[in-house]
Amino acid sequence: MSKVIVITGASAGIGAQLARQLAARGDYLMLGARSAKELNQLARSCGRDTFAYTTDVTRRQDVNRLRDEALRTFDHVDVWINNAGRGITRNVMELTDADIDEMISVNLKSALYGIQAIVPHFQERGQGHLINVSSMLSRIPFAGFRSAYSASKSALNTLTANLRMDLRADFPGIQVSLVLPGAVSTGFAANSLHAPEDAAAMQGAQSVEEVANAIIELIDQPRAEIYTNPEVQQPQVRSYYEDVAAFEDRLAAR
Ligand code: NJP
């Protein structure tokens, strides 16, 4: 059955592809991001059941307005996806206060704003699905230059898990999920804070189509968390937590 779905960070990359695929199967969409032109163009190309609302997710007011706009347009929301995010290209010893603030603002507080905007609506209805897009880097230190980004996503994981535990007894109809992609071929690297001019997508990155498919499967069959490339990622995470030091030795030797 068609669902009403809000997606943040939908003007490009994973969010835009997800919008295309969900619209193609007949879902009702409200898309948010800052780039109004790209967002409106995408909404038009998705068809008459897709709407766009220019949103900066680092501003609580904007996120509340995105929720209001979705409710005004569709009367209810089934799924809210906190997908907007941004990387950084700085190792720990180079980080400034402003770097940390930016990462926390765009990757963590943004999701908190989304959660606090939509969960009361889900509680009223006794149902709904909240999805937060995190990163494999929140679990394994594969990329020191993404340090503060990875830390902000680790914090997002914890926020997500705590929300799920808070809701489960009184609101069993509300699902809370975490999505952990690995490298995905989008403009993410180039859009990262302090990105070098020649920043390119990582070799061997997963396609946006595959990642969108994994998120759509999660919408259809809600679970606590998914890796978008589980065959590769799950053994890595298991092996990392079994013996952190040994894993790091192997990583350093590569
Ligand atoms: O990145 P990109 P992805 N307010 O740069 C929006 C995670 N992830 O699609 O505002 C509102 O192509 C921006 O729109 P605009 C990643 O952490 C990725 O790959 O118009 N929106 C654009 O639509 C993130 O959470 C990889 O500039 C804001 C979108 O976010 C999610 O996947 C690996 C915003 C970014 O599009 C999507 O990233 C991984 C703001 N303040 C996790 N700031 C990967 N690609 O390798 C940005 O593990 N946006």
Side-chain angles (χ1 to χ4, degrees):
M1 223 177 65
S2 298
K3 292 194 158 102
V4 175
I5 303 176
V6 177
I7 309 171
T8 70
S11 64
I14 294 169
Q17 182 60 27
L18 189 56
R20 283 183 207 104
Q21 293 185 209
L22 289 171
R25 72 174 205 166
D27 288 313
Y28 300 93
L29 307 180
M30 180 61 70
L31 311 179
R34 293 165 304 178
S35 312
K37 193 168 146 232
E38 286 76 5
L39 199 64
N40 287 319
Q41 251 168 18
L42 175 68
R44 272 196 300 278
S45 74
C46 283
R48 64 192 168 93
D49 293 328
T50 298
F51 295 80
Y53 188 76
T54 309
T55 308
D56 180 344
V57 293
T58 65
R59 296 158 54 105
R60 188 187 279 275
Q61 238 183 15
D62 277 23
V63 177
N64 285 341
R65 286 196 190 120
L66 178 67
R67 182 244 359 246
D68 293 345
E69 199 61 18
L71 292 179
R72 198 180 60 75
T73 308
F74 299 117
D75 190 50
H76 74 276
V77 170
D78 296 301
V79 184
W80 180 287
I81 306 176
N82 286 314
N83 165 73
R86 189 182 190 197
I88 191 170
T89 314
R90 268 195 182 164
N91 294 75
V92 173
M93 293 306 287
E94 298 156 359
L95 291 171
T96 64
D97 284 9
D99 291 336
I100 295 282
D101 289 347
E102 164 74 9
M103 289 297 102
I104 293 295
S105 172
V106 72
N107 294 317
L108 182 68
K109 283 168 86 176
S110 62
L112 178 69
Y113 298 158
I115 288 167
Q116 292 181 341
I118 203 61
V119 168
H121 171 67
F122 289 168
Q123 288 173 315
E124 238 169 66
R125 299 186 80 214
Q127 65 183 74
H129 190 179
L130 188 286
I131 298 177
N132 289 334
V133 179
S134 180
S135 170
M136 180 70 168
L137 295 180
S138 67
R139 293 266 154 92
I140 301 182
F142 275 140
F145 58 90
R146 298 265 185 258
S147 59
Y149 164 77
S150 310
S152 67
K153 293 289 194 181
S154 298
L156 177 63
N157 298 358
T158 311
L159 205 73
T160 308
N162 280 281
L163 175 68
R164 189 167 47 240
M165 293 305 292
D166 286 348
L167 294 173
R168 65 186 291 154
D170 293 338
F171 299 96
I174 302 179
Q175 313 291 331
V176 179
S177 304
L178 189 73
V179 174
L180 296 114
V184 187
S185 41
T186 67
F188 176 82
N191 294 334
S192 291
L193 185 61
H194 311 305
E197 297 244 318
D198 58 351
M202 262 181 69
Q203 295 281 319
Q206 200 176 14
S207 72
V208 269
E209 288 83 359
E210 269 177 53
V211 173
N213 282 335
I215 298 175
I216 290 173
E217 202 187 303
L218 176 68
I219 291 171
D220 291 341
Q221 295 165 39
R223 277 153 288 158
E225 59 179 50
I226 59 157
Y227 293 95
T228 60
N229 193 359
E231 290 79 14
V232 174
Q233 294 171 290
Q234 265 167 352
Q236 285 175 329
V237 171
R238 216 170 290 128
S239 148
Y240 178 71
Y241 284 106
E242 254 164 32
D243 188 336
V244 169
F247 188 99
E248 289 180 0
D249 284 346
R250 286 196 298 277
L251 199 58
R254 279 207 312 213

